[in-house]
Amino acid sequence: MRQVAAETKTPLLDIFEASQRLYRSMGEKESQQLFMHLPEKAHPNYPAGVTDNPHFSDKGAKLVPKLIAEAIRQCTELSALKQRTVEKNLDSDERLAHQLVN
């Protein structure tokens, strides 16, 4: 990934590294909340429960795009996208989110 970005002179947003830092900072138990980990009978689509690490929960689906927006904001090569980034207050338990707008 890094080699291809360097060879093609393409900006690199290392979301893998950013997400790994997030997971480590949260710890194993708390970071599980970012993924589809549902106990038995908690959701009608998963009556037996589910442990699905590839797919994000609602919480994960809100936090990971913030990592992407922050990476865009910090990338000097993507200054045109920075102009389309806005701050928006979300739920009271969340910090300011940077969201791309149309």
Side-chain angles (χ1 to χ4, degrees), residues 38-58:
L38 300 173
E40 189 175 317
K41 299 179 183 172
H43 193 284
N45 291 351
Y46 305 98
V50 67
T51 300
D52 181 355
N53 288 319
H55 295 100
F56 293 118
S57 65
D58 288 345

Side-chain angles (χ1 to χ4, degrees), residues 1-2 12-27 31 34-35 56 60 63-74:
M1 169 181 73
R2 285 177 176 76
L12 174 65
L13 304 178
D14 195 344
I15 306 308
F16 176 79
E17 178 58 34
S19 63
Q20 294 302 301
R21 281 194 310 269
L22 173 65
Y23 305 149
R24 283 191 298 272
S25 73
M26 294 177 76
S31 66
L34 302 179
F35 299 94
F56 293 118
L63 283 177
V64 173
K66 290 179 187 180
L67 298 177
I68 296 166
E70 181 61 23
I72 290 170
R73 191 178 68 73
Q74 292 180 8

